[in-house]
Amino acid sequence: MSEPSAVPIDPKLVAALRGAKFVAALTGAGISAESGIATFRDAQTGLWARFDPRELATPSAFARNPQRVWDWYAWRRERVASAEPNPGHRALAALERRFPEFVLITQNVDGLHQRAGSRNMVELHGNIARVKCSREGTVVARWDACGEGVPRCPRCGAYLRPDVVWFEEMLPEDALATAEDAARRCEVLLVVGTSAEVYPAAALPESARACGAIVVEVNPEATPLSERAHHVLRGPAGVVLPALVSALD
Ligand code: BV8
C-alpha cells in the first residue's frame, strides 16, 4: 500500500478543511473494501456469486424465498464479524475529533465505522447485526441461529429479518433528516467509496453542493458524482483518507 504522503492533496482543499467548522462524510461499500468486505458491485464470492445483491436486498426476494435471503445475511454477518476496520475508517474517526462539528453518514450496514471509533454518525440503511420482526418491526436481541429454517418472532411468530433498508423500502425518517440537515449545513462533504447511484443517499452530495459546500470524492474509480465534485482524490480510501489527515497535521 502506498505511503499516505504519496497522495497529492490540493492545497486549496487543505486550506478549506483547516478553516472549516462543520465537515460531513458520506460513505459507501468502498470504504469497507480494504477490510475484505465485497462491495455491492464486486462479484460476490462462493455460493452467492450467482446472485445479484440488488435482487436479494428486496422485500419481494424475502417474500419469495425467506430462507435464501436470511442465509445471505447470515453469511454477510459472519464476514462482517471477522472483518476489522481499516485505516480509512480510522481516518474518519480521527477527523471527527478534529472539527468542532462532524457528521458521518453511512450507507453501509457493517458497523465498521462504530468499531473504528466514529460516534456522531447516521446509518441510512440500518445495520446487519440487528434483527427485527418482519411484521411488528421490533428489534429482537437474540434469536435461534442454529435452528432449522428462518427464525420466528417470539411474540407474534412472523419471520425475523435483518434490520436493514431494502430496495423499495423507506429510509428511517430521523436518519434521513439528520443526513439531509448535515449535507445542507456542512462546509465540506467527503464522499467516500460510493458509486453514487442509489437514492435518496445519492442526492446528498448535490444538496451539499447547492448549499455552498465543497464536495470531495474519494474513490479509485470515476462515478456519476466525479464531474460534480470540486475535488476528486482518485485512490483507495485506506490510503487517501490517512493522507488527508496527515496533510491537516
Ligand atoms: C426508496 C442496505 C422510496 C441493504 C441498500 C424503482 C422502484 C423502487 C425504488 C426505486 C426504483 N427506482 C429507483 C428507486 C429508488 C432506489 C434506488 O435508488 N435504486 C437504484 C438502483 C437506482 N432506492 C430505494 O429503493 C431506497 N428506498 O427510495 O424508498 C421508495 C419506496 C417505494 C418505491 C419507490 C421509492 C432504498 C435504498 C437502500 C437499499 N439498501 N443497502 C443491504 O446492505 O443488504 S443499498 C446498497 O447499495 C448500499 O447501502 C448503497 O446504498 C448502495 C450502493 O452501494 P455503494 O455503497 O455505493 O457501493 P457500490 O458497490 O455500488 O460501489 C462501491 C464504490 O466503492 C465504487 O464506486 C468503487 O469504485 C468504490 N471503491 C472500491 N474500492 C474502494 C472504493 N472506494 C474507496 N476505497 C476503496 N478501496
Side-chain angles (χ1 to χ4, degrees):
M1 189 173 293
S2 51
E3 280 304 307
S5 54
V7 177
I9 312 270
D10 184 333
K12 286 203 291 292
L13 172 58
V14 174
L17 282 167
R18 283 219 171 99
K21 298 277 182 297
F22 183 2
V23 172
L26 169 66
T27 66
I31 195 166
S32 295
E34 291 156 274
S35 294
I37 296 178
T39 66
F40 263 70
R41 37 195 16 212
D42 285 351
Q44 294 200 94
T45 56
L47 171 68
W48 301 103
R50 60 195 171 96
F51 294 101
D52 174 356
R54 286 184 179 174
E55 293 302 315
L56 285 176
T58 61
S60 48
F62 187 67
R64 200 169 42 247
N65 191 332
Q67 189 69 60
R68 172 181 293 161
V69 174
W70 177 267
D71 290 346
W72 179 50
Y73 281 93
W75 174 73
R76 289 174 63 192
R77 242 193 311 278
E78 281 168 23
R79 291 173 68 85
V80 163
S82 59
E84 290 297 327
N86 66 58
H89 295 106
R90 287 197 289 275
L92 287 179
L95 287 175
E96 176 175 340
R97 296 189 287 269
R98 178 185 195 87
F99 294 102
E101 195 171 358
F102 184 93
V103 175
L104 171 62
I105 305 157
T106 190
Q107 301 170 81
N108 299 342
V109 297
D110 58 31
L112 289 180
H113 284 301
Q114 294 92 324
R115 288 172 55 194
S118 289
R119 289 291 168 269
N120 197 17
M121 63 176 287
V122 182
E123 289 180 315
L124 287 180
H125 295 157
N127 188 306
I128 199 169
R130 280 197 312 270
V131 164
K132 67 182 181 183
C133 171
S134 60
R135 181 182 297 147
E136 301 164 331
T138 41
V139 171
V140 297
R142 274 179 308 286
W143 60 88
D144 175 8
C146 45
E148 283 301 305
V150 179
R152 290 184 176 270
C153 171
R155 276 180 301 283
C156 75
Y159 284 133
L160 296 180
R161 55 163 282 185
D163 187 17
V164 298
V165 179
W166 281 331
F167 287 100
E168 298 153 39
E169 289 188 325
M170 303 298 281
L171 275 61
E173 265 179 48
D174 53 341
L176 185 55
T178 303
E180 286 172 339
D181 172 66
R184 283 195 295 270
R185 290 193 302 114
C186 69
E187 296 157 79
V188 181
L189 176 68
L190 306 172
V191 184
V192 185
T194 182
S195 56
E197 288 172 351
V198 172
Y199 288 80
L204 293 170
E206 208 51 50
S207 298
R209 183 187 159 96
C211 293
I214 293 170
V215 176
V216 183
E217 177 175 68
V218 177
N219 195 318
E221 293 173 21
T223 72
L225 176 68
S226 301
E227 58 196 26
R228 303 286 294 160
H230 299 93
H231 298 276
V232 172
L233 305 179
R234 195 59 81 218
V239 175
V240 170
L241 291 175
L244 203 53
V245 173
S246 304
L248 294 174
D249 286 346

